[in-house]
Each structure stands twice: as C-alpha cells, then as structure tokens.
Amino acid sequence: MAITTAKATTYHNFIDGAWVPSVSGDLFENRNPANTDDLVGVFQKSTAVDAQHAIEAARAAYERWRLVPAPRRAELLFRAAQLIADRKDALAHDMTREMGKVLAETRGDVQEAVDMTFFMAGEGRRQYGQTVPSELRDKFAMSIRQPLGVSAVITPWNFPMAIPSWKIIPALVCGNTVVFKPATLTPLSALNFVRILEEAGVPSGVVNLVTGGGGEVGNALLVSDDVRVVSFTGSTDVGRTVSEKAAPTFKKTHLEMGGKNVMMVMDDANLELAVEGCLWGGFGTTGQRCTAASRVVVHEKVYQPFLDAFVERAKALRVGDGLDPGTEVGPSVSEGQRETVMKYVAIGLDEGAALACGGHALTSGAYARGFFHEPTIFADVAPSMRIAQEEIFGPVVSVIPCRSFEEAVAIGNGVEYGLSASIYTQDVNRAFAAMRDMYTGIFYVNAPTIGAEVHLPFGGTKSTGNGHREAGTAALDVFSEWKSIYVDFSGKLQRAQIDAAEI
Ligand code: UN1
C-alpha cells in the first residue's frame, strides 16, 4: 500500500533521550482495525542499526541508573503512575483506535498500567533480600538483589500498555535500563507510555523505544551480548525463536506465551453466573487474550440448558467500533488475525463440531472497513479437535461435554498450554481439588479465566511459559539476580568449610 503521510503524524524512536527517525528512512502505517480509512499514525520501520544505537544508549545509562538509590528511582515511577492516571481517557481512546478493543477495556488496560506502576514503585523501598546467620563467629551473611543491565522488552498488541508496564516498571525499579520493542500493530500506546516516563523525569538512555519488526529489531536485541535479560510476551512459536536466539549469549529469558484456557461448569454450578463468566471470558477483548476462556467443559447434566443460554447471550452481543459506547465486542486487531479466526471456523466445521452460533466474518455496512467477525460458539466439541487444542486468539469458544468432575479436570489439563483455568461449582471440595490439580499458573473459582490482578504472579506452565512469572513481586526475580555477601569483622582469617571449627 502506498504510504499517505499527508494528515497523519509521523512518530519517532526514542533513543538516548531524543526522538529520532530510523536510519532506514522507512516508515510503516498504523490503521484503525474498526475502520481502515482511519490512519492512526506513521511509525519508524527500524533496523538492527537503530536497535544497536538503543542498546549502546541503554548500556551507557546503566552505569548511572544502577547507582541511583532505588527509592529515588521509585519517585520517578510514582510520578509516571499519576500521569498515566491523569490521562486515562486520552490514552484509552488512542488504544481503542489502534487496537480495536472497546473503551471500557482499554480504560482497564491503562488502569492496569497505573496499578502496576504504583505497586512496583513501592518496591523501591523493599526489594527484600535475606540476612542469615553465618557459620563462623564475627561474620555476617546476607543476600541482596542486583540489576542485570540492559533489558530487552518485547510486547504484544493485545494489552498495549498494561503488558509493557508489567515489564518496564520492574526492570527500572530494580536498576536496569530498557530497550523496548512494541508490537507493530500498537506502537502508539507504547509511545504514549514512553513519553510519560520521559515526562516523569526518567533520565536519557534509561528507557529507549525502537519500533519495527521482530526480524530486524527483535533479532538485534536477542543476539546482542550487551542485553542481559529479555522479557517477551507473544505467541508460543515466536517465543521458541526468542528462546533459541537468546540462548548462545546466556541471557535470562522470561517468556509468556499462548493459552487454551478452560472453564469447567459442574452440574451444581450457578448456571446464570457461569454463562456470564463464559461470555466475558470467551468474547471479552474479542477473544484476543492469552487468558481467554476458549474452552468450556460442561457437565452433561446441565449441558443443554447451559448451551442454550450461552448461545442466546452470545447472539445478542453488540459487535462494532470500540469507540462507540454501545459496543460490546470490537474487531479483530488485523486482517491476518481475522483470517486466523475464519480458518479455525472452517477447521471446526471440517472436524464435525456443531456450529451453535456465529461463524461468519461481518463485512457489510458499518463493518465494511474493519476486521469484524461474529462471536462464534462450537458445541459438541471433542477434546482432541484442533479447535479445542490450538490457540485461536479470536471470538471462538468450544463447548465440550463431560460426564464427571474427574473427566473435566483431565480434559482441562489435556492441552499443551497451562495459563489459566476456572471452575464453576458450589462444592468446596471440588473447588479445592481442581485448584490443586489443574496444571496452570492461574486458577479461578466461580469467575472467568481472565482478570488477573497486578500484585499476584502472572504466568503459566508447559508451552505457556518457561518457569518465570511476571507481575507481583515475582517480577523482581526476572529483573534482578542475587548476590550473596559475607562480611568478616574478626580481623583474622576464619576458615569456612573446615571440619571441627572452633565453637
Ligand atoms: C493477556 O491476555 O495477554 O488476566 C494478559 C487478564 C489480564 C491480562 C491478560 N489482566 O486477563
């Protein structure tokens, strides 16, 4: 497509405290997925050279930033949190325009960034280590958290400000510097976030923003020796590449990837509550959450009434432009994402699942210029079908019948992912058993699989994550490493690990 920059603002990279164009001279467009006539902005299509400049700036700034006392670093972050809160409406508006999810959700996204920033800034006065007794007299033993150095932050488009905040704020409070590569579909929210950090007084070089593709910019960050930690959220396929590319330089690698989350509706569930939960869990954010409830396993005794009510509610969902306050479900983020949805609808039909509602792209009238798709429910899905196994990242929910609690747990665990799961039941024993037995990083009782709060660890098992967690104080473990310190004040050589030490 020819680039028309006439009316749109051209945005720059942020490197070493200056807003600069890419050395490539190339640009890319950011268009509104609800209406592609609306050009949101034009951004730098950066190269490995731009990434290298950002790494160098971050490396130089690290030598100063790591020595700024953590409570002082935190002061800047508290200021940033307040600025984000003050501008919530405008930030949410920009986000809906570039990403499509409804305003209530983009406001929630911005609020998550506020919450995370306030929460993490508080860690400027904690970042607790340990003090322990020494084996020897006249000696102290303790451990402290140390920053790692330059952090690469590579983020997805579905939570354009929340997820960057989950990574950048803990990186900064721990004393690291950052090179930030946001998804090419949502560069404006990333830029808005960085502008606020700049305004809050974060010094030059401490946070750098480089927009552009993963092949160029992302790759340069991953192979650089100077980058010591990378935090990535995105698809499992890309996560595998990130992991492989980061391995030769022994970076710490935090990966947060796909999901195929399950809601288990038992025969004693409050069905009305379960239907509401599945609706919000399945179709919220147009199903484009890694925590989305894309599988619903329902006990056979309540299967039909549940399905009927769920389908009725899904059919009534108002699909449209997220900027319209009446809209409940926005568009897919891109044509490619909608094509994936359509591909999986075809796969589901092919596999013999029963299409209970939806199943079509919405392409006429007010929908003509966007990437809209009907909320879609497949019923009578077998657990082994691809629509019940693979992440779709769109408004498609698979409903799977089961005969018992045990079967529900087995089906729930029977996927390659392990992010979030939930059970609807009135039986406290089942709730606790499921809480223990679901092999996921997050678990809900009588609530949908979405809605994690910033002060608890977030992440998953198996192909969802690689053992680290972000959010909560768990994020400190990604962005710091331990140093053990021994202080001998005896004035003589006390020999450790010698048997029969003097008592
Ligand atoms: C994601 O889907 O990528 O728990 C993150 C939730 C949100 C974050 C989701 N707080 O659904």
Side-chain angles (χ1 to χ4, degrees):
M1 191 193 306
I3 292 191
T4 46
T5 50
K7 270 180 283 166
T9 309
T10 298
Y11 296 94
H12 292 108
N13 287 331
F14 187 61
I15 298 177
D16 206 12
W19 293 94
V20 292
S22 163
V23 296
S24 71
D26 289 338
L27 302 169
F28 67 91
E29 291 185 344
N30 177 15
R31 286 184 180 269
N32 181 342
N35 174 10
T36 53
D37 289 341
D38 178 22
L39 181 58
V40 176
V42 177
F43 290 81
Q44 303 300 312
K45 191 170 181 182
S46 309
T47 67
V49 175
D50 300 304
Q52 197 51 44
H53 290 160
I55 292 168
E56 277 157 27
R59 200 172 68 144
Y62 176 64
E63 293 311 324
R64 300 184 301 275
W65 182 245
R66 73 185 177 90
L67 299 177
V68 175
R72 296 280 90 77
R73 296 197 288 255
E75 275 174 26
L76 306 181
L77 302 180
F78 280 124
R79 208 175 293 153
Q82 192 55 51
L83 287 171
I84 304 168
D86 293 347
R87 294 178 197 164
K88 186 164 162 177
D89 284 340
L91 294 171
H93 188 273
D94 276 355
M95 195 186 293
T96 294
R97 217 178 131 206
E98 73 173 343
M99 187 270 168
K101 65 184 175 182
V102 301
L103 272 179
E105 292 180 342
T106 52
R107 288 173 61 82
D109 191 305
V110 174
Q111 185 59 43
E112 229 179 285
V114 173
D115 296 340
M116 177 57 84
T117 307
F118 274 125
F119 170 72
M120 263 300 150
E123 287 304 314
R125 289 190 181 269
R126 288 186 290 267
Q127 296 186 43
Y128 299 131
Q130 300 116 21
T131 56
V132 293
S134 167
E135 292 170 3
L136 296 171
R137 217 177 63 188
D138 300 335
K139 191 177 176 191
F140 282 117
M142 66 192 93
S143 64
I144 61 165
R145 289 186 183 276
Q146 294 262 275
L148 292 121
V150 178
S151 311
V153 166
I154 304 177
T155 57
W157 44 261
N158 66 334
F159 278 81
M161 193 168 290
I163 291 181
S165 80
W166 295 4
K167 301 179 189 304
I168 293 172
I169 303 302
L172 295 182
V173 83
C174 288
N176 305 280
T177 54
V178 171
V179 180
F180 174 24
K181 191 212 94 62
T184 47
L185 289 165
T186 52
L188 182 56
S189 296
L191 193 133
N192 285 340
F193 187 65
V194 169
R195 269 184 178 161
I196 283 176
L197 291 173
E198 178 192 20
E199 200 178 322
V202 172
S204 296
V206 171
V207 174
N208 304 276
L209 171 77
V210 184
T211 56
E216 276 282 326
V217 180
N219 185 62
L221 299 177
L222 295 172
V223 300
S224 169
D225 247 324
D226 292 326
V227 173
R228 295 320 308 152
V229 51
V230 56
S231 180
F232 164 83
T233 298
S235 72
T236 297
D237 281 347
V238 177
R240 191 169 288 116
T241 306
V242 168
S243 192
E244 283 167 7
K245 295 214 158 151
T249 45
F250 304 111
K251 288 176 183 44
K252 190 186 247 187
T253 307
H254 160 249
L255 303 172
E256 187 50 50
M257 303 172 284
K260 193 70 191 175
N261 313 291
V262 69
M263 293 184 49
M264 302 180 289
V265 181
M266 294 295 97
D267 48 347
D268 62 348
N270 174 336
L271 281 194
E272 222 170 287
L273 194 66
V275 166
E276 287 303 311
C278 290
L279 209 67
W280 172 225
F283 300 116
T285 321
T286 321
Q288 300 173 125
R289 290 193 184 216
C290 54
T291 51
S294 54
R295 296 182 297 153
V296 181
V297 175
V298 188
H299 196 286
E300 60 185 3
K301 284 195 194 145
V302 294
Y303 184 78
Q304 206 53 52
F306 170 85
L307 184 64
D308 293 345
F310 186 34
V311 168
E312 191 189 315
R313 292 284 282 111
K315 278 183 174 163
L317 286 171
R318 288 188 299 270
V319 178
D321 185 339
L323 291 173
D324 174 347
T327 297
E328 292 170 298
V329 178
S332 292
V333 73
S334 65
E335 184 63 70
Q337 204 60 37
R338 181 171 64 174
E339 275 168 11
T340 303
V341 170
M342 290 160 71
K343 181 187 92 180
Y344 274 101
V345 168
I347 290 171
L349 290 170
D350 217 48
E351 287 176 309
L355 185 63
C357 70
H360 305 100
L362 294 163
T363 53
S364 59
Y367 297 127
R369 307 297 302 152
F371 310 125
F372 297 95
H373 194 281
E374 292 173 337
T376 299
I377 297 174
F378 277 110
D380 306 341
V381 175
S384 60
M385 288 180 184
R386 286 183 64 190
I387 53 168
Q389 288 288 326
E390 298 173 19
E391 185 174 52
I392 300 174
F393 232 63
V396 183
V397 177
S398 293
V399 183
I400 306 169
C402 77
R403 287 179 299 271
S404 66
F405 167 74
E406 290 73 19
E407 194 188 357
V409 169
I411 294 170
N413 278 329
V415 291
E416 79 168 288
Y417 302 107
L419 182 54
S420 183
S422 104
I423 190 166
Y424 278 74
T425 182
Q426 310 288 331
D427 179 344
V428 70
N429 296 341
R430 278 175 171 176
F432 271 85
M435 190 170 90
R436 182 192 59 194
D437 293 340
M438 290 308 296
Y439 186 37
T440 56
I442 305 170
F443 187 74
Y444 291 89
V445 178
N446 291 327
T449 51
I450 63 175
E453 302 181 27
V454 301
H455 49 305
L456 281 183
F458 182 94
T461 63
K462 302 190 278 187
S463 292
T464 295
N466 64 339
H468 291 291
R469 295 287 186 272
E470 56 192 334
T473 50
L476 301 175
D477 296 329
V478 172
F479 292 104
S480 67
E481 58 191 351
W482 290 110
K483 182 178 281 178
S484 296
I485 296 173
Y486 302 96
V487 180
D488 191 316
F489 57 99
S490 69
K492 60 181 192 223
L493 176 66
Q494 300 193 89
R495 294 196 293 167
Q497 278 98 51
I498 294 276
D499 231 2
E502 192 184 317
I503 300 203

